[in-house]
Amino acid sequence: MVTSSDLALESDLLLRALLGPRSKSTLSFLANVDRSALLQRKYAKAVVAYSKALQVSPTSAVLLANRALAHLHLENYASAFDDSSLAIRLDPGYGYYRRGSSNFILGKFGSALKDFEKVVQLQPRNLEGKKKVRECELALRKQRFEYAIRVPESVLVKVSDSIELDTITVENTYDGPRLGENHTVTANFVKDMILQFKNCKAIHLRYAYEILLQTKSILEKVPSVIDVDIPEFFDLCNIFELNGEPSEDNPYLFNGDFVDRGSFSVEVVLTLFAFMCLCPEGCVLGKKVFIVHGGLFSKDGVKVEDLKSIDRFHEPPDEGPFCEMLWSDPCCEPGRYPSKRGIGIAFGPDVTKKFIIENNLELVIRSHEVKDDGFEIEHDGSLITVFSAPNYCDQMENKGAFIRFESDMVPHITTFNAVNHPPVRPMQFAPHIF
């Protein structure tokens, strides 16, 4: 993985070399902004800086490839693909690794394999490129195997149906929290489980299954799920310290990405599910605030009531309202545009305004994008992005935020910094894609 200091040095030198005899003020501005943004891991600012540099030197394959890397860190995979593809057309020596990364994340393993093979062809000693070739080959093999053994969805046996709790014995040597004979998740159980996790210990497999099965039963009964991007486990505990633990008098609405790239994802999701078992009743925000994980839709006329009929008990499709609720992002320009992620859409302030008017709403709240301050108010105040994972992936150095509503239905935003956690490698269980 390329470090931010490597990127800063690389970009600084490249800017000076590529811009050549341009004006010193322009060169100094671009180099300083770009270097500062990368050192601070402010990848959105790095994209802006590279874009300004490309206005001066529009045929620079190196600048395009580096902007592609910044897009990858921002999870703008379609934009990363476009930049790296243009870099390759301008200079075949640049861009294959980053386009391969984009293709891999987008699930295009065959195309990714060709890109990484090209990396190895151009740089025979590139060990990381060789590693990515093997990862692509394994992903393709797995994909083909799954296709070969596929069966109709109607005859699939759910994993949950295969779990027989009575056959799982809790050993006498187990020293963690226990559920009683009635299998009810209690406040004391949740409290003891959180303490167990803070001590870097696990709960028994049987109790993990119990929480998952009870949560599944609860979620299957609700008509729709209003999905706030979720932090590391220790940052989640910090939210509860700042705002109180979930209860009937202090309900929470969490907005997705519970298990992502963090090193404590299992602890996070089990804690949230246990609280759901303890307090299963949801809340409606005065019928004035629409909360969604991603964003709005590719067509006008979508009503909140219509969304309740979506069959969500399967993998989401690549288009349509179900997909767009999960993956779309707001943009500054009016109208609708292809998504920089490669799925969903980008929607402008006019789209948000029309959706709010048509549904008699006042506000849209969504997550899905890391924000330096933990939140961003957009579209003339009609849309708020809230991101509760501070120092995302242990490297973005952003703040986290949460929103609290009282009876006046006015959003009160609290921001916070990341707290210390046990010394584990960032994204310990996640693959290093780029």
Side-chain angles (χ1 to χ4, degrees):
M1 180 175 287
V2 181
T3 66
S4 59
S5 57
D6 291 334
L7 285 171
L9 178 60
E10 173 190 11
S11 60
D12 194 24
L13 294 173
L14 287 172
L15 281 168
R16 293 178 184 280
L18 291 168
L19 296 181
R22 311 278 183 179
S23 87
K24 290 184 178 180
S25 60
T26 301
L27 173 61
S28 177
F29 170 77
L30 295 176
N32 288 337
V33 170
D34 185 46
R35 178 179 174 83
S36 174
L38 287 168
L39 278 173
Q40 299 175 38
R41 297 189 175 97
K42 306 299 185 185
Y43 297 109
K45 292 181 180 178
V47 168
V48 173
Y50 278 124
S51 299
K52 290 180 180 295
L54 283 162
Q55 291 176 2
V56 180
S57 186
T59 59
S60 168
V62 178
L63 290 176
L64 283 164
N66 282 352
R67 189 172 68 176
L69 180 59
H71 276 306
L72 281 170
H73 279 285
L74 292 169
E75 302 177 359
N76 300 336
Y77 305 126
S79 295
F81 176 88
D82 291 343
D83 274 356
S84 51
S85 295
L86 181 54
I88 291 169
R89 289 198 294 271
L90 291 169
D91 186 339
Y94 291 97
Y96 281 106
Y97 191 98
R98 282 150 200 181
R99 191 173 73 176
S101 298
S102 304
N103 276 321
F104 190 92
I105 297 171
L106 292 170
K108 301 175 182 179
F109 303 125
S111 298
L113 177 60
K114 293 178 181 178
D115 283 334
F116 288 124
E117 286 177 336
K118 190 67 175 181
V119 171
V120 175
Q121 177 186 337
L122 293 170
Q123 305 174 33
R125 295 184 179 181
N126 189 319
L127 298 180
E128 194 64 27
K130 293 178 180 179
K131 178 183 176 182
K132 295 302 180 187
V133 167
R134 291 192 296 270
E135 290 179 4
C136 289
E137 291 172 340
L138 287 173
L140 279 171
R141 194 178 307 160
K142 178 175 181 288
Q143 188 179 66
R144 290 164 182 160
F145 177 76
E146 290 174 346
Y147 182 81
I149 65 171
R150 73 194 188 284
V151 296
E153 189 171 336
S154 58
V155 300
L156 283 176
V157 177
K158 297 179 180 178
V159 174
S160 56
D161 294 336
S162 67
I163 298 173
E164 299 180 1
L165 290 175
D166 292 339
T167 66
I168 304 175
T169 303
V170 180
E171 301 82 3
N172 292 331
T173 55
Y174 171 68
D175 63 352
R178 294 172 179 260
L179 291 174
E181 293 183 359
N182 61 359
H183 311 290
T184 301
V185 175
T186 65
N188 284 336
F189 175 84
V190 178
K191 180 180 177 180
D192 292 342
M193 183 183 71
I194 291 175
L195 182 61
Q196 185 89 340
F197 290 158
K198 285 184 175 180
N199 291 328
C200 295
K201 295 181 179 180
I203 62 171
H204 196 278
L205 178 63
R206 171 167 181 144
Y207 301 137
Y209 278 149
E210 295 243 30
I211 292 171
L212 292 173
L213 291 174
Q214 290 184 37
T215 302
K216 176 177 178 291
S217 178
I218 292 169
L219 291 176
E220 285 178 337
K221 295 173 183 176
V222 296
S224 61
V225 179
I226 300 178
D227 279 323
V228 165
D229 272 273
I230 198 65
E232 288 274 19
F233 172 70
F234 292 88
D235 294 310
L236 175 64
C237 294
N238 186 40
I239 291 178
F240 294 156
E241 291 180 10
L242 293 170
N243 194 57
E245 291 186 350
S247 68
E248 292 182 1
D249 297 325
N250 190 37
Y252 278 75
L253 204 56
F254 292 100
N255 208 17
D257 276 1
F258 307 137
V259 180
D260 201 343
R261 299 174 181 83
S263 300
F264 302 94
S265 295
V266 174
E267 290 87 344
V268 165
V269 77
L270 285 176
T271 299
L272 294 177
F273 285 173
F275 273 120
M276 173 169 279
C277 296
L278 182 64
C279 310
E281 295 298 323
C283 61
V284 177
L285 296 184
K287 297 184 179 180
K288 294 296 182 182
V289 182
F290 179 67
I291 302 177
V292 66
H293 176 70
L296 299 182
F297 310 99
S298 57
K299 297 180 180 178
D300 292 329
V302 176
K303 298 297 180 65
V304 172
E305 194 66 26
D306 299 336
L307 303 176
K308 295 181 180 179
S309 63
I310 291 177
D311 176 15
R312 67 179 191 275
F313 298 107
H314 58 82
E315 288 294 314
D318 292 334
E319 57 185 15
F322 188 5
C323 164
E324 291 155 2
M325 289 172 68
L326 297 174
W327 294 107
S328 293
D329 295 299
C331 61
C332 298
E333 300 79 13
R336 295 179 173 91
Y337 304 89
S339 170
K340 57 192 176 185
R341 297 177 185 269
I343 189 169
I345 66 160
F347 60 96
D350 56 324
V351 176
T352 301
K353 181 179 180 180
K354 189 169 185 178
F355 177 79
I356 284 178
I357 292 173
E358 290 179 342
N359 286 278
N360 194 29
L361 298 167
E362 295 178 358
L363 181 66
V364 173
I365 294 180
R366 43 89 63 179
S367 300
H368 194 42
E369 286 183 288
V370 62
K371 297 296 181 181
D372 289 344
D373 294 324
F375 75 99
E376 185 173 356
I377 301 175
E378 304 172 80
H379 293 184
D380 300 319
S382 63
L383 183 144
I384 302 177
T385 296
V386 59
F387 195 86
S388 301
N391 195 25
Y392 182 52
C393 297
D394 275 336
Q395 65 179 18
M396 300 295 282
E397 299 184 0
N398 60 289
K399 291 183 177 181
F402 61 84
I403 301 176
R404 184 176 181 90
F405 285 89
E406 303 291 351
S407 58
D408 59 5
M409 293 307 299
V410 174
H412 302 273
I413 301 174
T414 298
T415 63
F416 57 95
N417 294 314
V419 296
N420 293 330
H421 60 66
V424 298
R425 179 171 56 85
M427 301 185 291
Q428 180 164 304
F429 306 109
H432 291 276
I433 303 300
F434 42 90

